[in-house]
Amino acid sequence: MLTKGKTAVASLRLLHLLQHCCVQPLRRRSCVFGLQRRLCTSSGPPWRLLFFGSDQFAVESLKLLASSRNANDGIVKTLEVVTLSSDVPVQRFAQHNHLPVHSWPPNNVDGQFDVGVVVSFGCLLPERLINKFPYGILNVHPSLLPRWRGPAPIFHTILHGDTETGVSIMQIRPHRFDVGPILSQVLHQVPENCTADELGAALAAKGAHLLLNTLATLPEVRTRKREQRQMGATFAPKINSSMSWMVWEEQTCDQIDRLYRAIGSRIPLKTTWMGRTLKLLDFVGKCHISLSGQSGKPVPGSVSYQKHTNTLAVCCKDGWVGFNAVLLKKRLTAADFYNGYLHQRTESLFVSQKRIEAHPVRENSIL
């Protein structure tokens, strides 16, 4: 028979054996589960990022994120890329810098990333994809949202003569572009006579740095996010070739100047001359010309060759604007166009498409 002391020792040994057999495996399973959760999500940087982008504007943000991945700032841990096409700047940058690239739509993103980043991607992300990112998907948008929602905010900023713009970092929401809550914004003064290309380069750099700053404190920034107000919301549709047709009788010198600075590097301004499309190149701005010897007010679309500046001056709603070259069959300087075409005619006029559609054209004299 066991004594009471021996009985107590045996009981303790049995209890220890049960703990070793039953409790320890449970504890190990708990530790493994906790490790899996840490592998799936982070509570803060460095982040595992999936980047969605296409054009050169997006490359600036991708470039800074790639640099951060190789630095000691602790913001980016891993970086992979999604593109819509193989022939876009983001794809080329990713391949050159050995970043993993996914085609659209990406597969197998469950538990692989903490945050998504969208810059100039051009495609709505479905809700099921957005929900796979524990910290959501951020968007770098080159305007002060809700001003200029849509695909072409930079062009419309120039076209409408805005003196102030900026960059917004917002959270992506499904179903609609550019309506999510704002995480951070920065102002940017639009320089006088700035082109869309120049403004885009400045905002791309500013947006890239704002993105990195936002990611550095993302958990805190998310607690201060604010919904966009509806008042002041405007839409910035894509630019297209129909925007480039001159309407001389309606457009002012300033409007033509802004139109050229907004779209001129991509789509040449156009008019009609003698029933043919004429592209207007090398805009020089408002012209101050003397019309001595001419009677009556010139008709919008009237052309005056200015020999001393080698400029074709065209009459618009409130003055004259000049171009140093045109494209007919080939590129011609103002002098070449005048000598080869205009001086041989006693009547000529640059005519808007709107006027052609309204009534037949009667050519007017060259001034």
Side-chain angles (χ1 to χ4, degrees):
M1 293 180 65
L2 294 174
T3 65
K4 291 182 179 181
K6 291 181 178 180
T7 301
V9 170
S11 298
L12 288 173
R13 287 178 176 173
L14 179 60
L15 179 61
H16 178 74
L17 181 61
L18 289 171
Q19 288 176 335
H20 180 77
C21 294
C22 301
V23 178
Q24 290 300 328
L26 181 62
R27 186 176 299 165
R28 284 196 295 270
R29 288 196 297 271
S30 177
C31 291
V32 169
F33 179 73
L35 177 61
Q36 288 174 337
R37 289 196 64 184
R38 284 195 297 274
L39 288 173
C40 291
T41 62
S42 299
S43 59
W47 306 109
R48 297 167 305 157
L49 298 179
L50 184 59
F51 184 91
F52 301 77
S54 58
D55 62 14
Q56 189 59 43
F57 183 91
V59 167
E60 291 304 309
S61 289
L62 182 59
K63 187 186 302 182
L64 200 60
L65 292 174
S67 298
S68 176
R69 183 194 55 166
N70 299 322
N72 296 319
D73 56 18
I75 297 176
V76 179
K77 182 177 182 181
T78 62
L79 179 62
E80 300 183 22
V81 173
V82 178
T83 63
L84 293 171
S85 168
S86 60
D87 187 28
V88 291
V90 162
Q91 170 93 355
R92 293 191 289 270
F93 178 89
Q95 290 176 335
H96 182 74
N97 291 273
H98 310 293
L99 298 175
V101 178
H102 303 258
S103 58
W104 175 257
N107 297 317
N108 191 29
V109 300
D110 296 50
Q112 302 299 311
F113 304 98
D114 306 309
V115 189
V117 174
V118 171
V119 189
S120 296
F121 189 56
C123 185
L124 278 173
L125 274 59
E127 188 171 10
R128 65 181 181 277
L129 177 60
I130 297 172
N131 291 338
K132 294 182 185 296
F133 295 82
Y135 281 83
I137 300 180
L138 311 185
N139 175 229
V140 181
H141 186 82
S143 81
L144 294 177
L145 291 169
R147 178 75 169 168
W148 298 133
R149 294 171 176 171
I154 294 172
F155 298 103
H156 288 273
T157 296
I158 297 295
L159 185 63
H160 290 81
D162 291 5
T163 58
E164 184 179 79
T165 185
V167 179
S168 303
I169 307 295
M170 55 160 280
Q171 275 192 307
I172 289 288
R173 280 186 174 163
H175 312 307
R176 291 178 61 197
F177 284 110
D178 307 329
V179 297
I182 303 297
L183 300 182
S184 53
Q185 284 183 323
V186 62
L187 298 177
H188 182 81
Q189 299 298 319
V190 181
E192 189 175 357
N193 298 320
C194 181
T195 67
D197 290 342
E198 293 165 344
L199 182 60
L203 294 181
K206 187 165 283 190
H209 285 91
L210 183 63
L211 171 64
L212 206 63
N213 292 339
T214 303
L215 286 168
T217 57
L218 184 57
E220 178 185 353
V221 170
R222 278 164 53 93
T223 65
R224 303 195 305 267
K225 65 185 179 183
R226 56 183 175 83
E227 296 295 330
Q228 293 187 43
R229 65 186 188 277
Q230 290 304 311
M231 184 179 297
T234 54
F235 183 63
K238 289 182 179 180
I239 62 170
N240 58 70
S241 60
S242 66
M243 298 171 63
S244 65
W245 285 103
M246 294 289 91
V247 187
W248 304 110
E249 58 270 26
E250 296 181 4
Q251 293 167 313
T252 66
C253 295
D254 287 343
Q255 288 173 331
I256 294 171
D257 176 79
R258 294 199 301 267
L259 180 62
Y260 182 82
R261 289 188 287 113
I263 71 171
S265 66
R266 289 169 170 76
I267 307 174
L269 304 187
K270 299 191 293 286
T271 190
T272 300
W273 175 75
M274 300 295 294
R276 303 161 71 180
T277 296
L278 187 72
K279 296 181 179 180
L280 306 164
L281 311 176
D282 300 346
F283 179 73
V284 296
K286 189 172 184 177
C287 295
H288 300 280
I289 65 174
S290 173
L291 298 178
S292 58
Q294 297 294 327
S295 60
K297 186 178 180 180
V299 176
S302 299
V303 184
S304 176
Y305 173 62
Q306 303 294 293
K307 185 176 181 179
H308 62 289
T309 58
N310 190 23
T311 299
L312 288 174
V314 188
C315 181
C316 59
K317 183 178 179 178
D318 66 346
W320 297 76
V321 291
F323 300 87
N324 281 343
V326 298
L327 184 66
L328 194 54
K329 292 180 179 179
K330 61 180 181 178
R331 180 186 174 94
L332 301 168
T333 66
D336 290 338
F337 182 67
Y338 174 76
N339 292 329
Y341 295 92
L342 291 185
H343 89 283
Q344 300 174 359
R345 298 181 177 277
T346 57
E347 294 186 350
S348 187
L349 189 72
F350 286 176
V351 182
S352 68
Q353 286 288 95
K354 186 173 182 178
R355 184 174 176 181
I356 291 174
E357 294 170 357
H359 50 73
V361 176
R362 182 179 64 84
E363 298 293 332
N364 197 32
S365 61
I366 299 176
L367 300 174

